[in-house]
Amino acid sequence: MAAPMLRWWCLGRRWVLACIDGGSRHGRGAAIGFTSSRKRGQTSVAQQPLITSQKSRKGEHEWAAVVGLEIHAQISSNSKLFSGSRVHFAAPPNSLVSFFDASLPGTLPVLNRRCVEAAVMTGLALNCRINKKSLFDRKHYFYADLPAGYQITQQRLPIAVNGSLAYSVCVGKKPSRVITKTVRIKQIQLEQDSGKSLHDELRSQTLIDLNRAEGQLRVDANVSVHHPGEPLGVRTEVKNLNSAKFLAKAIDSEIERQIHELENGREILNETRSFDYKLGCTMPMRDKEGKQDYRFMPEPNLPPLLLYDTESLPPGADPQQVINIDWIRERLPELPSETRERLIQQYGILPEHSFALLNEVGLLEFFQNVIKETRAEPKKVTSWVLNIFLGFLKQQNLAVNESPVTPSALAELLNLLDRKAISSTAAKQVFEELWRSEGKTPSQIVSEKQLELMQDQEALERACHTVMEGHPQVVMDVKRGNPRAINKLIGLVRKATLSRADPTAIKEILERKLSP
Amino acid sequence: MLGRTLREVSAALKQGQITPTELCQKCLSLIKKTKFLNAYITVSEEVALKQAEESEKRYKKGRSLGDLDGIPIAVKDNFSTSGIETTCASNMLKGYVPPYNATVVQKLLDQGAVLMGKTNLDEFAMGALGSDTGGSTRNPAAHCGVVGFKPSYGLVSRHGLIPLVNSMDVPGILTRCVDDAAIVLGMLAGHDPKDSTTIQDPVKPFTLPTLTDVSKLCIGIPKEYLAPELSGEVRSFWSKAANLFESEGAKVIEVSLPHTSYSIVCYHVLCTSEVASNMARFDGLEYVLGDKEEEPLRTVSQNVNIGQKCHRCDINVSTEAMYAATRREGFNDVVRGRILAGNFFLLKENYENYFIKAQKVRRLIANDFVKVFNSGVDVLLTPTTLRGAAPYLEFIKEDNRTRSAEDDIFTQAVNMAGLPAVSVPVALSNLGLPIGLQFIGRAFCDQQLLKIAKWFEKQVQFPVIQLQELMDDGSSISEIEKLASVSLKH
């Protein structure tokens, strides 16, 4: 199961890089990511609004949409946020429940160190300010999957605030035009998750699983619209969206709905809605109870969480008992933005390509392995990896680690191409064959299919000569200055040589022969 | 034997003058004879005899676990005991058998103590008889003529103590003498990884030194504690105690705790708020609600009109109605009243004016004590209660809130400040009922506090109740029994 961070980035790619169609009525407010975790041992980052301009169909007042996302992501840890019970994906229901998780009276929460470290790492990776002192609170509401009647969260003073995230958006139809945008991260908070409710319609009962290790990303989107220059509109919350695709659809449809309502003189209610996947639109979720008062109260069983840096670390402190932010910062892995920058510097590839390389699981590693074993230029490798290799993967819906073509195989193929042992057309053929039949090397395929480029210069000269003699009319065209005529000759020579001649070489010979 | 101190009994066990089983059986016999007092909710006879048997084996081999091995103990019914019903004296937890021991219970059992049973309390400890949140170890101690000790907050683990007010609750120790309390404290105190509010350091068992010279001590008498409702008798004993210290060379001075008069109200806001939160888990679903398990569901299905909106809403509506119904059945008036009040204070529009305000006042109250202790005072000497125990008929006249407001007046500010305090029996009133006085110490100076209390106890020589006489004289027991059953009917 992919670690949460990785998943989050994948999520970002799928919809951030989708193109904005400028001609439609509503452009999409650019995606805003910020995590909020509602899982035991999960980090939570709250929302940030971003304004985009849109044109209404009637061409009247412009509308601007404001979208805020609350993302719930589970921290990868061995045990839960406040209890010692283990975390394991897809365990049998209620098999990983400690006394505290079941809310047995008299049990107390104990904070999991690894979860705090993960939250700090997330905060640092998202350019947040880490609060050296943060507090825990109880958020009260009654529901069957919340056995304590409250959830422990960080409402007053969360662990990290005021971060930012740079991301790329495609503009225009061509994927090549990419612009960088920034979104603000309001906060990251540690939070306990509720259990899982399974509604058994048949028996009219609800079953509760208190394991709480779903391992999924969950997003709530807050949406409102207003006219630029006017105050923000009433917002609605669309809850429990699990995929980037549906998140985008839900936001779009909600923006559309709100504009439609307002343009027809109606009001937007501050309510919670859910997204109907089949109908493709949002529906109201809770009945008109009105806003819930969660009766927030400080969690009395957890003292304030104090974090240190190297400067403020008390002397002689037990390393088991304290967390040093600087120490964690030093151990952060290379962040994607750094990796992208490095790729651009080191290999001279384009920014949009650097995004593409990072946004597919395992693709960067594949790319780097090919680079290691080939003499071909990085630009060539990039092109082959992102266009041809990735194209084949997507067509068959495979992940990088499921690819039948290994980095070594591709590297070998590119080497053949680089020393002009084969033409690029032939190379593509070889690649197809590599994909289909495992175990064969590119060299094997080349010799099997006799795809080697002619190396015999004399034979090539003879072939050119033969073609020129056989097509005097075309030769005349060339001499008369028709720029396209030479291509015809090249084509004829290629045909004559069964595509085993390098078109560049052919052209060079022809030009030599045809020059006065 | 049953009237002796812990040390004496322990010595007797070691010397073989009495066996743990004999001791256990004597206890059980007395418990049976005094059953009409309703002191025990659960008597764990089988468990106790088994533990006594094991203790006996250890003594025979000469391998006793320590001072507490074979000693009969009782634990209030809001401490989680594995395999033994724990109810907090509430219908809500009737039939609830926990799968784990509270840390303090485990520590006592690890020392070989013999668990006689779970003792009674006000429902969820919301009255004069609670664990020490507002004084409910010290108050009953004063009324019953025993030592009631409240350790500093954070010194003893609360894991397994079913909470009333998490920020004030402390496991309290009731013993016959101060020395015994010190022995038990030595076994219970120290860091518990399961309770994040305990101090970091481990605590070793200690022997309480005997104080002989009090001339270097400074005793503080808070003037705000001279309440008009204070009974003449208690006031007189308080005076006598102060004079005793002075005559032995100690410095006795008047001090001021100016925010004392706000502490009751402040306590009520904070207490009800935390209670409302802590009781949220009792929805009648998870903890068997006795015979009434079926009823709430039937009531709900009769009253709720299911079938209108979406299914999810149905579940919401019927779940909430079911919670409301079972919580009404499972909690008594006092508990429900506190939950409603607490939820009111925690509402968004009220939070600032009530909860936050109360927290600020709490800080002022705590600072009062800090200032006094910083000025050179070692301990404070105050009454524990306004008067001796009230007769039952008088007791039931006033409602719970008034009663506890009165009873807790001297004890409860201590919980707000997290300080250690101990009630020591002083004398019998004119009615022959015990009266105690309270000593309040600095935070985490529990040993020093007990040292001073021990000296005082020695000076006072409070008469220990002679249970043996009561047991042997069969007729007086049945008379008492008759009287008790008459008043209980009211």
Side-chain angles (χ1 to χ4, degrees), chain A residues 359-402:
Chain A
N359 279 338
E360 192 71 31
V361 178
L363 191 62
L364 178 62
E365 200 186 320
F366 188 93
F367 170 81
Q368 284 176 320
N369 286 338
V370 174
I371 292 261
K372 253 191 265 178
E373 295 185 40
T374 185
R375 270 178 282 108
E377 270 187 25
K379 286 215 171 88
K380 199 82 181 169
V381 179
T382 309
S383 170
W384 269 82
V385 168
L386 287 181
N387 296 326
I388 299 166
F389 176 67
L390 200 56
F392 269 78
L393 278 181
K394 288 300 159 194
Q395 207 182 56
Q396 296 178 29
N397 211 5
L398 293 171
V400 173
N401 63 5
E402 292 168 319

Side-chain angles (χ1 to χ4, degrees), chain B residues 155-219:
Chain B
L155 191 58
V156 179
S157 170
R158 288 183 299 112
H159 168 73
L161 168 59
I162 297 171
L164 176 64
V165 183
N166 288 287
S167 62
M168 298 186 209
D169 288 349
V170 168
I173 301 168
L174 289 150
T175 53
R176 246 177 248 112
C177 66
V178 175
D179 216 29
D180 290 356
I183 294 174
V184 176
L185 177 66
M187 289 170 189
L188 296 184
H191 178 63
D192 182 8
K194 297 194 190 111
D195 178 353
S196 307
T197 60
T198 52
I199 49 165
Q200 288 302 310
D201 317 305
V203 170
K204 290 198 197 85
F206 56 94
T207 313
L208 202 57
T210 310
L211 190 61
T212 44
D213 172 25
V214 295
S215 59
K216 296 197 183 65
L217 282 183
C218 177
I219 313 289

Side-chain angles (χ1 to χ4, degrees), chain A residues 459-508:
Chain A
L460 190 55
E461 295 239 0
R462 279 200 302 274
C464 289
H465 186 83
T466 312
V467 164
M468 280 171 69
E469 293 217 319
H471 298 84
Q473 203 58 34
V474 188
V475 172
M476 287 289 265
D477 285 341
V478 177
K479 286 197 171 150
R480 281 208 211 105
N482 184 343
R484 283 209 298 273
I486 194 159
N487 290 338
K488 196 154 184 221
L489 281 178
I490 295 173
L492 287 166
V493 175
R494 286 190 69 203
K495 227 169 137 183
T497 58
L498 303 169
S499 288
R500 288 177 57 205
D502 180 14
T504 331
I506 298 172
K507 189 172 184 192
E508 191 250 332

Side-chain angles (χ1 to χ4, degrees), chain A residues 103 105-106 138 140 295 301, chain B residues 100 158 160 277-278 287 343 348:
Chain A
S103 295
R138 291 184 182 180
H140 300 86
R295 291 168 277 124
N301 293 316
Chain B
Y100 77 101
R158 288 183 299 112
S277 177
N278 289 329
Y287 313 106
N343 278 326
K348 219 154 141 184

